[in-house]
Amino acid sequence: MSLAPAHDDLVGRLDRAARRADDLGLGALLVTPGPDLRYLTGYDAVPLERLTCLVVRGAGSPPVLVVPALERAAAEASPVPALGIEIRTWQETEDPYALVGSIVGDATAVGLDDRMWAAKVLGLRAAMPGAEQRLAGAALSALRMRKSTDELASLTRAGEAIDRVHARVPAMLRPGRTEAEVGRDIAEAILEEGHATVDFVIVASGPNSASPHHEVSDRVMRAGEPVVVDIGGSMPDGYCSDSTRTYALGDPGPEFTENYAALQEAQWAAVGSVRPGMACEDVDAVARGLLSGSGLGEFFIHRTGHGIGLETHEEPYIVRGNALPLDPGMVFSIEPGFYIDGRFGARIEDIVACGDDGAVVLNGRPRDLCVVDA
Ligand code: ZN
Ligand code: ZN
Ligand code: ZN
């Protein structure tokens, strides 16, 4: 099942995308199946080797969707026809790249969606040798970053769904089980709690907790160990969840507990610092400054967060060097951690929306270390 945004929202997005393309001197935006296509048209097309490509031309010229003949029915069942997008099909022996080129016409530059497959990039280059290829993200990320009221509602539902999964995690954790066993239970719960897909499951126990992107392994969990659980999925409307809580199988010892308290303070201070106009890198600096003050700075080895929407990782990135000021409607993670190689690590991650007066936190599970009976 795939749910589409409201018709008026889609019309507005296409319109703004076309105007931004004009402003940037792009003759067209070329968008293949993926989050940009879904954002602009509600068409959740499967990425395949055959070319499907939305051509968003400058304001005044209606968009065209090029699709393989065998996918016409799928495209017609999507919101595409109601948006006034013309569907042009190609047969197996035709050259779809030349077709796109003829629709674009003369252009000195085109914008390609940031996730386009290299084979398609090169096919389009050959068909339009006179058009410089740039990233469509320059036009689209500014739109996708600022969520509409409906999108905020979608992300709120995603946050609630992953919170319900975390609420079930303590019952899954006990010494003697493997990370993989717990991971399978969590994946099932992610679907049971309303997601359409499981996007990732990290269950990182003991020394594995010191690896931020550890997934799961056959390691058997033992009493006294921390377990970092970072999980997410996509809801039927495409919006993603992503939340981390750190658990412990019984008392993890004074050093871990003290470090965790410092992390919790840093994470919540960063959440509390969010407000319109604040630079993304300044939110990062709040978390990093506090962890450094606690002697954990060198162990906080990743950025503080990432935007989230139709993709788990999208703009804005909450990282040093990103001076972009926060705007109301931007939604991103705040997920500092510490990772002490060979020993242990921890992370706390919430998704927050920048509201008019500060952060609106979309995850509600307690942030205290969750100590499970062991
Ligand atoms: Zn990550
Ligand atoms: Zn995460
Ligand atoms: Zn994240």
Side-chain angles (χ1 to χ4, degrees):
M1 183 178 64
S2 152
L3 301 176
H7 175 81
D8 289 354
D9 282 355
L10 293 172
V11 171
R13 290 173 192 177
L14 280 165
D15 203 56
R16 284 194 295 276
R19 277 189 277 125
R20 286 193 63 88
D22 270 346
D23 291 347
L24 294 168
L26 299 172
L29 301 176
L30 304 177
V31 183
T32 50
D36 284 336
L37 185 65
R38 193 166 187 183
Y39 179 80
L40 290 171
T41 67
Y43 183 27
D44 182 22
V46 183
L48 295 169
E49 77 289 0
R50 292 187 180 93
L51 184 72
T52 288
C53 183
L54 176 71
V55 183
V56 180
R57 298 180 287 183
S61 313
V64 178
L65 182 69
V66 170
V67 294
L70 77 169
E71 284 176 51
R72 174 182 271 280
E76 280 176 347
S78 79
V80 161
L83 292 168
I85 299 172
E86 185 194 340
I87 297 176
R88 292 236 203 128
T89 52
W90 57 276
Q91 305 294 333
E92 295 282 46
T93 55
E94 285 177 307
D95 178 357
Y97 298 98
L99 177 57
V100 171
S102 72
I103 295 165
V104 172
D106 283 334
T108 52
V110 289
L112 311 188
D113 80 75
D114 295 23
R115 303 280 180 267
M116 189 181 286
W117 293 4
K120 291 170 184 166
V121 174
L122 297 181
L124 291 167
R125 170 167 289 161
M128 290 176 276
E132 186 197 333
Q133 294 184 328
R134 298 199 215 140
L135 291 175
L140 297 178
S141 69
L143 304 183
R144 283 181 49 190
M145 251 192 296
R146 294 170 180 81
K147 269 65 181 180
S148 67
T149 311
D150 280 357
E151 290 183 288
L152 290 170
S154 293
L155 286 161
T156 300
R157 283 192 295 272
E160 290 165 351
I162 208 69
D163 281 357
R164 291 194 296 273
V165 179
H166 268 298
R168 294 170 58 180
V169 167
M172 301 172 187
L173 293 174
R174 59 181 172 274
R177 298 198 81 195
T178 68
E179 294 173 352
E181 285 167 347
V182 174
R184 279 193 288 275
D185 289 351
I186 289 174
E188 213 169 278
I190 287 174
L191 298 176
E192 284 167 3
E193 297 299 344
H195 295 85
T197 60
V198 178
D199 295 340
F200 58 93
V201 175
I202 295 175
V203 181
S205 67
N208 288 342
S209 60
S211 168
H213 273 181
H214 176 78
E215 292 190 339
V216 295
S217 74
D218 289 327
R219 185 177 186 279
V220 175
M221 301 182 298
R222 292 186 301 214
E225 290 181 343
V227 186
V228 174
V229 176
D230 184 354
I231 52 180
S234 298
M235 299 292 279
D237 61 8
Y239 286 83
C240 298
S241 66
D242 182 7
S243 173
T244 310
R245 290 295 183 263
T246 298
Y247 301 82
L249 299 175
D251 182 5
E255 191 186 350
F256 181 88
T257 304
E258 195 179 310
N259 289 342
Y260 187 87
L263 172 64
Q264 190 176 350
E265 187 192 352
Q267 195 264 351
W268 198 241
V271 170
S273 75
V274 168
R275 54 187 37 78
M278 182 156 183
C280 290
E281 64 181 351
D282 291 341
V283 178
D284 180 83
V286 169
R288 207 164 296 281
L290 283 164
L291 283 168
S292 297
S294 305
L296 291 170
E298 64 176 298
F299 304 113
F300 177 22
I301 56 174
H302 56 70
R303 64 190 176 211
T304 290
H306 53 82
I308 187 167
L310 289 169
E311 289 177 280
T312 308
H313 288 189
E314 58 180 51
E315 294 198 61
Y317 293 100
I318 310 301
V319 63
R320 191 161 59 120
N322 187 5
L324 180 79
L326 293 175
D327 271 344
M330 288 183 178
V331 180
F332 47 89
S333 70
I334 295 197
E335 51 175 310
F338 62 83
Y339 310 92
I340 303 178
D341 216 25
R343 297 194 61 207
F344 50 59
R347 178 164 64 258
I348 305 171
E349 175 179 24
D350 288 312
I351 303 302
V352 307
C354 180
D356 290 331
D357 324 293
V360 179
V361 187
L362 305 189
N363 295 110
R365 293 292 301 160
R367 291 161 196 87
D368 297 334
L369 181 65
C370 179
V371 181
V372 180
D373 286 338

